C-alpha cells in the first residue's frame, strides 16, 4: 500500500514518504503542525486513497484511554438486576466497544485516526502503549483477549499543546507538517477552486502572508481559513482590484473575519492602520 496523495489533497513529497514509512514499519504515524494544516484531512484522504473505512476517535480534555478500548456499565447492570431484566447475567450486554476495539475486530485494514491526542491528560498516551504496540488488549469483565484481525493504519494528530511522553514517541513515526509555502498554497487553492482567477489568488495570497507575518499576532490564519476567505471573496464578487488598491489606512482587509479570529489581533490591525494614517498626514 503506497500513498501518493489524492485529487482532493495536496501532499508534499516529505509527507508521502512519512506516510509510507509508517505503513512499512507498522507504526502509528504521529503528525504535528499548526491547526488548519490538514492533519485530520490526511487520515480522511488515506481512507479515500486506499478505499477503506475511517474510524475516528476524537480526543477531548476528559477522554480516558480505556474509553478507546471499552466501557463497562456496572450501574445499568445493577439496576437491571434489581428490576429482574432478562439477560442481566450476560456481562457482554453491558460492555460498550471503543474505537480501538472497533478497529481491531474488522476483517479489512482500516484507518484509525486518534485526533488531537495532546488534548488529553499527560498519562493518556502512556496508557495506550501496550495496546498500540501489541495490537491487543484484555477485557477483564469477560476474560477475553481482543486481538487485531488486521493491523489498522494509525494516524495520530497533535497541535503541540503539550509534550508527549518519550516512551510513546519511540513507538511512533513522526512527521511535522510545515506551513505550506506560496507554491503549495496555490496548488491547494486550485484543488478547492479550479476556476478561480489567478490574479485574485495572487493578491489574496499577498494579503494573507502579510497578515501572517505581523509581529505580535496571537493566532496566525491557517490554510483552511485562507480557503474560507477566498470562498467569501468569490461569493461577494470582490475582485483582485479591490484587494490590490485597498487603502492601507483602513483597519483590516475585506471579509477578514475569516482570517482574524480574536479581538486582540483585530486591535493589532487597527493600531497598524492608525499608525499608517498618522504617517500619511
Amino acid at each position: 500500500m503506497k500513498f501518493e496523495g489524492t485529487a482532493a489533497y495536496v501532499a508534499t513529497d516529505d509527507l508521502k514518504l512519512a506516510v509510507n514509512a509508517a505503513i512499512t514499519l507498522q507504526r502509528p504515524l504521529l503528525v504535528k503542525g499548526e491547526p488548519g494544516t490538514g492533519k485530520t484531512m490526511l487520515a480522511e484522504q488515506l481512507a479515500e486513497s486506499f478505499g477503506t473505512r475511517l474510524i475516528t476517535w476524537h480526543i477531548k480534555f476528559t477522554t480516558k484511554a480505556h474509553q478507546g478500548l471499552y466501557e463497562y456499565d456496572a450501574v445499568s447492570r445493577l439496576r437491571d438486576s434489581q428490576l429482574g431484566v432478562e439477560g442481566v447475567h450476560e456481562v457482554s450486554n453491558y460492555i460498550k466497544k471503543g474505537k480501538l476495539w472497533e478497529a481491531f475486530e474488522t476483517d479489512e485494514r482500516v484507518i484509525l485516526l486518534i485526533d488531537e491526542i495532546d488534548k488529553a491528560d499527560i498519562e493518556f498516551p502512556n496508557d495506550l502503549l501496550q495496546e498500540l504496540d501489541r495490537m491487543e488488549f484484555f477485557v477483564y469483565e469477560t476474560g477475553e483477549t481482543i486481538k487485531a484481525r488486521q493491523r489498522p493504519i494509525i494516524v495520530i494528530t497533535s497541535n503541540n499543546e503539550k509534550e508527549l511522553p518519550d516512551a510513546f514517541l519511540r513507538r511512533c513515526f513522526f512527521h511535522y507538517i510545515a506551513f505550506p509555502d506560496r507554491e503549495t498554497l496555490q496548488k491547494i487553492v486550485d484543488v478547492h477552486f479550479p476556476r478561480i482567477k489567478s490574479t485574485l489568488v495572487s493578491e489574496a495570497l499577498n494579503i494573507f502572508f502579510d497578515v501572517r507575518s505581523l509581529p505580535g499576532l496571537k493566532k496566525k490564519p491557517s490554510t483552511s481559513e485562507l480557503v474560507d476567505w477566498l470562498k467569501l471573496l468569490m461569493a461577494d464578487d470582490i475582485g483582485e482590484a479591490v484587494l490590490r488598491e485597498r487603502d492601507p489606512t483602513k483597519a483590516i482587509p475585506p471579509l477578514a473575519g475569516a482570517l482574524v479570529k480574536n479581538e486582540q489581533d483585530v486591535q493589532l490591525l487597527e493600531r497598524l492602520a492608525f499608525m499608517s494614517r498618522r504617517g500619511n498626514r
Side-chain angles (χ1 to χ4, degrees):
M1 302 176 78
K2 290 284 187 180
F3 178 62
E4 298 294 342
T6 67
Y9 188 83
V10 178
T12 62
D13 290 339
D14 287 346
L15 178 56
K16 288 185 280 190
L17 282 172
V19 171
N20 293 322
I23 294 173
T24 300
L25 293 172
Q26 296 189 333
R27 291 187 178 274
L29 174 64
L30 174 61
V31 185
K32 290 188 178 183
E34 288 183 31
T37 49
K39 300 185 296 296
T40 300
M41 186 179 288
L42 170 63
E44 297 170 355
Q45 294 305 309
L46 267 175
E48 176 74 20
S49 175
F50 295 150
T52 190
R53 187 157 61 99
L54 173 66
I55 297 175
T56 303
W57 186 14
H58 293 294
I59 306 303
K60 302 178 181 179
F61 295 103
T62 56
T63 303
K64 301 299 180 185
H66 69 84
Q67 294 172 320
L69 308 178
Y70 68 93
E71 292 183 90
Y72 170 55
D73 192 349
V75 174
S76 292
R77 191 182 185 199
L78 175 61
R79 182 196 62 220
D80 289 350
S81 67
Q82 293 171 340
L83 296 174
V85 175
E86 186 177 351
V88 71
H89 298 297
E90 188 62 49
V91 179
S92 59
N93 291 336
Y94 300 91
I95 289 180
K96 179 183 178 182
K97 297 177 181 179
K99 296 296 184 179
L100 265 72
W101 190 330
E102 183 182 347
F104 284 5
E105 72 175 359
T106 59
D107 292 322
E108 61 177 331
R109 193 177 192 186
V110 299
I111 309 297
L112 173 61
L113 170 63
I114 304 177
D115 202 23
E116 299 189 334
I117 194 172
D118 52 326
K119 279 189 175 181
D121 184 85
I122 189 62
E123 291 302 320
F124 178 91
N126 281 337
D127 290 341
L128 289 175
L129 287 180
Q130 180 172 317
E131 289 76 12
L132 295 181
D133 202 26
R134 299 178 61 182
M135 287 287 125
E136 66 178 43
F137 63 90
F138 185 70
V139 183
Y140 292 94
E141 289 77 8
T142 63
E144 61 181 325
T145 298
I146 306 300
K147 296 184 178 181
R149 298 176 187 172
Q150 294 283 342
R151 182 186 270 288
I153 298 172
I154 302 174
V155 178
I156 303 172
T157 70
S158 169
N159 287 328
N160 253 346
E161 292 186 10
K162 64 169 69 77
E163 289 295 323
L164 299 174
D166 289 344
F168 179 78
L169 294 174
R170 283 197 299 271
R171 288 165 170 82
C172 297
F173 189 92
F174 172 77
H175 182 74
Y176 182 84
I177 298 182
F179 191 82
D181 58 19
R182 189 182 182 103
E183 181 181 352
T184 305
L185 276 180
Q186 177 74 60
K187 293 178 181 177
I188 293 172
V189 170
D190 290 341
V191 166
H192 287 274
F193 310 111
R195 295 182 179 85
I196 193 171
K197 293 182 179 178
S198 59
T199 49
L200 174 61
V201 177
S202 178
E203 294 300 330
L205 286 176
N206 288 340
I207 294 175
F208 177 76
F209 280 111
D210 284 346
V211 173
R212 275 188 61 88
S213 65
L214 288 175
L217 201 68
K218 184 176 181 180
K219 183 192 179 303
K220 294 181 179 181
S222 68
T223 306
S224 60
E225 288 159 345
L226 170 64
V227 171
D228 288 345
W229 186 45
L230 284 170
K231 185 176 182 179
L232 290 173
L233 292 176
M234 295 171 64
D236 284 17
D237 199 24
I238 296 177
E240 64 273 11
V242 175
L243 302 182
R244 186 187 312 114
E245 299 165 6
R246 183 175 61 89
D247 186 350
T249 64
K250 291 183 179 179
I252 54 177
L255 300 170
L259 298 176
V260 184
K261 297 301 178 74
N262 62 72
E263 63 277 9
Q264 176 180 315
D265 290 343
V266 171
Q267 290 169 4
L268 173 62
L269 290 174
E270 289 174 341
R271 285 198 302 271
L272 292 174
F274 175 73
M275 292 170 63
S276 179
R277 286 195 295 271
R278 290 192 63 181
N280 290 336
R281 288 177 181 173

